[in-house]
Amino acid sequence: MGILDTPAIGTHTWLEFVLAVAIVAVVAVAATFLLNFVVAAVARRRGWDLAKIGRILRPFLTLLTIIGLWIAMVVTLPEADWRVPLTHLAVILVIAVSAWLLAGIVSFAFEAVRLRYPIDVADNSKARRVRTQLDILHRVAGAVIITIAIGAILLTFPGVSALGASVLASAGVAGVVAGLAAQTTLSNVFAGVQLAFSDAIRVDDVVVVEDEWGRIEEMTLSYVVVRIWDDRRLVLPSTYFTTTPFANWTRHASAITGTVELDVDWSVPISALRARFDEVLSGQKLWDRRASGVQVTEATGGIVRVRLLMTAADSGSLWDLRCIMREAMVEWVREASPRAVPRTRVEMLEE
């Protein structure tokens, strides 16, 4: 006797069935209010997010209601002919809601771990690595739960086993065809898993891809979303980051070094320029005080090229610092040493 072949239990009337359903409904409503009250109290004490707890509470109450209705149907349903199809439907609903409940528990667990690794701190390289791996594992777990639930539902239908044998007989040819058709998709999936655990990129990493500067905003099993500095989104397949060279400015740390180059006349007083640079830079909060310097890197073609070196805690701070220092030094050259402004000299000769 299978799970769907539930025997009749005595002789019952429709009134008994309606009463049983009503009792289940009342118990479900009462349980909903009670659980909501208890969970809200616990959530306030522990600082949990009620919206995230709802992902567990709703499927749990739904599952209890379905099981209660199933029991009421088996015990009191007067029509035995309806029992098998309704029992089959109940089994399918139990499997589907159980998968929903399990997905909610997994989601809540992953979110709880994520909260232990905030990325809005100065040194967040470890947190970004952990969050990236958690995001990929969360998606893999969701895919596994859905796959198992679908398989379990299919197994409740008679004849699926026989159908499976015929499918397996042609699995060789079908596998080759499916493999060729899904080659790109599967390669992206494998690349996504590789990126998550190879630590090549992480969520919130600063990267330069396709000549665009941005941050890794989202990583999935098949694609990566890069948020460009002007709030555009660049969506790239995962295989891009495993096959194409790219710059990762926060691979090991977010601190970064940058330069500003000035072209000035040969008459520029280098010592005075260096003193002014140090004076302005020392008053900037964006400078992390790791390194600084003024160097003459070129002196050809009638100009002197001066490189101003500075460091900052991250790429965003460095960009702002470079702009501030460039503006300050241009203003100093124009006002304090106007003769140092680049110029073209023309010598007139008399024949």
Side-chain angles (χ1 to χ4, degrees):
M1 181 178 294
I3 189 173
L4 303 181
D5 301 324
T6 306
I9 303 177
T11 302
H12 303 283
T13 65
W14 284 106
L15 179 61
E16 292 176 343
F17 177 68
V18 173
L19 288 175
V21 171
I23 292 173
V24 171
V26 172
V27 172
V29 172
T32 300
F33 280 107
L34 179 61
L35 282 176
N36 282 331
F37 177 78
V38 174
V39 169
V42 175
R44 283 193 296 268
R45 189 181 311 120
R46 294 183 175 270
W48 291 344
D49 188 350
L50 285 175
K52 295 181 174 61
I53 296 178
R55 299 175 185 175
I56 301 176
L57 192 58
R58 284 189 294 271
F60 178 72
L61 292 171
T62 303
L63 181 62
L64 288 182
T65 303
I66 293 174
I67 293 175
L69 292 173
W70 187 2
I71 294 174
M73 177 193 65
V74 171
V75 173
T76 64
L77 188 66
E79 295 291 343
D81 294 339
W82 290 14
R83 191 169 285 113
V84 172
L86 289 179
T87 300
H88 188 193
L89 177 61
V91 171
I92 293 175
L93 291 177
V94 166
I95 294 173
V97 176
S98 298
W100 181 19
L101 174 61
L102 183 58
I105 295 174
V106 170
S107 179
F108 182 81
F110 274 102
E111 187 63 29
V113 177
R114 285 191 191 96
L115 293 177
R116 298 175 57 185
Y117 296 92
I119 59 176
D120 55 347
V121 294
D123 186 9
N124 61 357
S125 58
K126 180 181 179 181
R128 288 187 284 110
R129 180 176 64 253
V130 172
R131 283 207 170 195
T132 300
Q133 295 173 353
L134 286 174
D135 288 344
I136 299 298
L137 288 176
H138 189 183
R139 289 182 171 86
V140 171
V144 170
I145 291 172
I146 293 174
T147 302
I148 293 176
I150 293 175
I153 291 174
L154 290 177
L155 288 176
T156 64
F157 290 90
V160 168
S161 300
L163 178 62
S166 62
V167 170
L168 289 177
S170 59
V173 177
V176 173
V177 174
L180 293 175
Q183 182 177 5
T184 302
T185 302
L186 291 176
S187 62
N188 277 320
V189 171
F190 291 135
V193 175
Q194 178 184 345
L195 289 175
F197 292 95
S198 65
D199 209 23
I201 56 173
R202 297 155 297 190
V203 174
D204 206 44
D205 265 349
V206 176
V207 296
V208 178
V209 291
E210 299 294 312
D211 296 327
E212 297 281 3
W213 179 95
R215 292 181 179 272
I216 302 295
E217 183 178 57
E218 182 183 0
M219 293 179 63
T220 71
L221 288 175
S222 57
Y223 63 88
V224 177
V225 179
V226 181
R227 181 178 180 178
I228 308 302
W229 64 274
D230 57 1
D231 286 337
R232 290 178 295 143
R233 267 64 173 182
L234 185 63
V235 181
L236 298 168
S238 298
T239 51
Y240 177 91
F241 293 92
T242 58
T243 59
T244 307
F246 64 94
N248 187 339
W249 289 8
T250 54
R251 176 67 173 79
H252 294 292
S254 58
I256 192 169
T257 301
T259 61
V260 170
E261 291 190 340
L262 298 178
D263 288 341
V264 294
D265 191 75
W266 281 60
S267 62
V268 62
I270 299 297
S271 57
L273 186 148
R274 181 176 287 110
R276 178 58 180 169
F277 171 79
D278 292 338
E279 177 186 355
V280 176
L281 186 63
S282 61
Q284 297 298 320
K285 294 182 180 180
L286 297 175
W287 180 44
D288 64 1
R289 288 168 171 73
R290 288 188 299 115
S292 65
V294 176
Q295 296 174 312
V296 177
T297 59
E298 192 173 346
T300 58
I303 61 170
V304 173
R305 179 160 296 171
V306 180
R307 186 179 69 176
L308 313 176
L309 184 140
M310 62 208 75
T311 58
D314 54 67
S315 57
S317 299
L318 179 65
W319 172 263
D320 293 337
L321 180 62
R322 291 172 62 199
C323 293
I324 292 172
M325 294 306 301
R326 185 183 293 109
E327 179 181 343
M329 298 311 299
V330 167
E331 184 178 357
W332 178 84
V333 170
R334 189 180 66 248
E335 296 181 359
S337 184
R339 296 187 60 187
V341 175
R343 64 191 65 194
T344 302
R345 293 178 174 85
V346 179
E347 184 178 359
M348 305 296 294
L349 298 176
E350 294 183 2
E351 293 183 358

